[in-house]
Amino acid sequence: TKVTYFPDTDKGDRRFEYFSQVVAFHKIELTGGILFDNLDFSSADIWVALITMLYVDILDTTGTLYSMAQFSGLMDKTTGDFPRSKMAFCSDAIGTVV
């Protein structure tokens, strides 16, 4: 394209060479799952950490959704609920699991 930070010139080549030294891309098998390859799920510490993180996520989601619903005026005063709250909580749960 006409607009590029790496034009086909000596200056563009130097920029790309510097960029290549700063930014590195790794294959997916070298990240993520490899960190947890030897994780022992029979340890109580793992389950305490997992349950704590899930509990914090529930509190964070509930606080955010209800405060935004109240701020935007969507909160039903009789039931204390907001429209499509089940879908909002389900989408957060799916995002947390994934």
Side-chain angles (χ1 to χ4, degrees), residues 4-92:
T4 179
Y5 191 70
F6 309 114
D8 194 15
T9 62
D10 288 337
K11 184 176 181 180
D13 291 342
R14 285 193 307 272
R15 285 179 175 173
F16 185 74
E17 184 179 324
Y18 177 75
F19 176 78
S20 298
Q21 293 173 359
V22 173
V23 178
F25 296 99
H26 302 284
K27 292 183 179 180
I28 194 69
E29 61 263 4
L30 298 177
T31 59
I34 199 73
L35 297 174
F36 306 110
D37 196 26
N38 59 356
L39 197 61
D40 182 18
F41 281 100
S42 65
S43 169
D45 293 338
I46 297 297
W47 289 105
V48 169
L50 181 64
I51 290 170
T52 301
M53 290 176 65
L54 290 174
Y55 182 68
V56 169
D57 181 63
I58 290 170
L59 293 178
D60 177 48
T61 301
T62 304
T64 301
L65 290 176
Y66 276 97
S67 65
M68 290 295 104
Q70 187 175 15
F71 179 76
S72 62
L74 296 173
M75 194 74 99
D76 186 359
K77 295 188 188 304
T78 57
T79 63
D81 200 8
F82 57 92
R84 299 176 59 172
S85 62
K86 183 185 279 186
M87 292 303 293
F89 281 108
C90 285
S91 64
D92 178 73

